[in-house]
Amino acid sequence: MDLSTTYLGLRLPNPLVIGASPLCDDLDMVRRLEDAGAAAIVMHSVFEEQLTREREHTAAALAAHVDAFAEASSFLPRPAEFHLAPDEYLEQIRRIRAAVAMPVIGSLNGVTAAGWLDHAKRIQDAGASALELNVYYVASDPGEDAAQVERRTLDIVRSVKRAVAIPIAVKLSPSFSALSHFARELEAAGADGLVLFNRFYQPDIDIAALEIRPVHHASDPSELPLRLRWLAILSGQRARLDFAATGGVHDAHDVIKAVMAGAHAVQLVSALLVHGPQHLRTVHDNVARTLDELGYASVAEMRGCMNLARCPDASALERANYVRVLHSWRDKP
Ligand SMILES: Cc1cc2nc3c(=O)[nH]c(=O)nc-3n(C[C@H](O)[C@H](O)[C@H](O)COP(=O)(O)O)c2cc1C
């Protein structure tokens, strides 16, 4: 079975990509993932806060006024809260490149272009084949409208695109109000691909301590349909962009659905953290077997067969399906 695909200019033997996570931190794990069928690996992110902290510490050391910026930076995570310091991160890219054949995709996570550009270039020079930009941003300022939020991300994409030669993908949150328009703007700004979707962590409240508790739950496949909807809409509209699904891909059927909806690649994290690297081999082999059973000769033949490229009005289709679902709640599955 020909499972090959292309993603961000990379020719991959199959669509299974290890998503941004600590799975890249341990070389033995990286080797086991490649042995189990991984086609590429995304590094966990270098966070803008890490780079900001490094700059502030340097500035503080020079000015010897450590307290002057202490309050302003009090929300920033401490260096120890990050897996790898920025320089170690670059070294880890080099180590992975030396240890395995699969391509490495770097990841930057932040909300402004300032300060990352140097690092984007360094990630490229360390051997990354592509770069994922994760603009993790909760738009909580009432003075900032949706156009400003989008513009900031577009500025980042334009700046990073100018700074590096490798392809860049933007990892989006599902919370944009006009995603089709925004995807068109991202393509015009230079994005080569979109990764759908970032998961926001879900804050909880400790009612005794009166503290916010950032909790992270492993995903489950119920998160996939949101991705399928937008993969089907956007991949049908933006033929020049590559798409990756992230969030809720746990088994072979999830992979096949995402590819049918238009994904060039699928990223897995939670399923591998829960079941271990061997799970990828099961997913890989089950994708091949199921494609055969469904009568496809290749992933390329199947890709996008369920996208909405030929649908003249995806919004009307969505409303029709919505009404149908509301009327069918009594029906037996
Ligand atoms: C422990 C952990 C660390 C992660 N670190 C990052 C990160 O550094 N950058 C990023 O863009 N996404 C990060 N993610 C998000 C994953 O890349 C992925 O988008 C998300 O987990 C959804 O995929 P899944 O359903 O396969 O878990 C992380 C996820 C987990 C579970």
Side-chain angles (χ1 to χ4, degrees):
M1 176 61 61
D2 177 7
L3 299 183
S4 66
T5 184
T6 53
Y7 176 59
L8 301 178
L10 303 167
R11 182 128 188 94
L12 304 179
N14 66 66
L16 305 176
V17 172
I18 310 306
S21 69
L23 287 164
C24 69
D25 286 347
D26 173 16
L27 278 188
D28 187 47
M29 171 61 78
V30 172
R31 284 194 198 94
R32 290 168 70 192
L33 288 165
E34 185 176 65
D35 289 347
I41 185 163
V42 186
M43 298 286 292
H44 63 71
S45 303
V46 179
F47 291 82
E48 187 178 351
E49 289 81 354
Q50 283 178 277
L51 303 170
T52 310
R53 256 205 188 281
E54 275 206 341
R55 279 198 307 280
E56 285 180 347
H57 276 277
T58 309
L62 289 173
H65 289 308
V66 179
D67 286 342
F69 69 91
E71 191 181 0
S73 65
S74 62
F75 291 136
L76 296 183
R78 307 268 126 203
E81 292 178 54
F82 297 106
H83 299 288
L84 296 173
D87 284 345
E88 290 167 347
Y89 186 92
L90 302 175
E91 196 45 44
Q92 185 67 0
I93 293 178
R94 288 187 201 101
R95 276 193 221 111
I96 295 176
R97 294 278 287 128
V100 294
M102 66 177 157
V104 179
I105 299 174
S107 168
L108 283 171
N109 189 317
V111 292
T112 65
W116 316 8
L117 297 184
D118 278 355
H119 212 74
K121 178 107 179 33
R122 281 191 214 122
I123 287 176
Q124 168 183 272
D125 295 345
S129 301
L131 190 57
E132 202 174 272
L133 302 178
N134 182 344
V135 186
Y136 186 108
Y137 182 69
V138 176
S140 63
D141 176 357
E144 186 181 48
D145 66 20
Q148 286 169 289
V149 174
E150 291 185 6
R151 201 171 312 125
R152 195 144 26 81
T153 302
L154 294 169
D155 287 345
I156 292 173
V157 172
R158 271 187 218 101
S159 310
V160 176
K161 188 74 186 172
R162 276 197 297 270
V164 297
I166 52 178
I168 57 175
V170 185
K171 188 170 181 177
L172 289 175
S173 94
S175 304
F176 290 96
S177 55
L179 204 45
S180 287
H181 176 266
F182 188 38
R184 189 179 72 183
E185 299 297 296
L186 286 164
E187 183 182 318
D192 299 284
L194 299 181
V195 182
L196 310 181
F197 285 117
N198 213 352
R199 292 169 82 221
F200 287 124
Y201 83 85
Q202 302 302 322
D204 201 358
I205 292 177
D206 183 324
I207 57 173
L210 290 182
E211 281 174 1
I212 297 172
R213 280 211 180 137
V215 280
H216 190 280
H217 299 291
S219 72
D220 67 68
S222 69
E223 298 187 27
L224 187 63
L226 176 69
R227 278 81 184 163
L228 298 179
R229 161 182 288 151
W230 283 105
L231 283 167
I233 294 173
L234 298 181
S235 74
Q237 296 172 345
R238 310 248 63 84
R240 295 212 327 260
L241 285 178
D242 285 350
F243 288 88
T246 180
V249 179
H250 282 241
D251 65 17
H253 284 200
D254 299 334
V255 174
I256 290 170
K257 289 175 197 175
V259 174
M260 284 182 162
H264 298 76
V266 296
Q267 299 185 357
L268 294 93
V269 174
S270 293
L272 301 174
L273 291 176
V274 171
H275 301 297
Q278 265 314 108
H279 181 65
L280 200 67
R281 172 54 56 196
T282 309
V283 173
H284 177 281
D285 293 354
N286 285 344
V287 169
R289 190 176 43 75
T290 310
L291 252 65
D292 194 35
E293 286 165 7
L294 293 173
Y296 291 101
S298 66
V299 158
E301 183 190 348
M302 177 182 68
R303 200 183 70 73
C305 68
M306 292 299 291
N307 76 17
L308 297 182
R310 282 174 301 282
C311 175
D313 187 343
S315 302
L317 177 71
E318 286 283 342
R319 282 194 63 77
N321 283 336
Y322 172 58
V323 173
R324 207 166 292 144
V325 165
L326 293 184
H327 283 88
S328 66
W329 69 275
R330 279 177 213 278
D331 297 350
K332 295 218 161 49

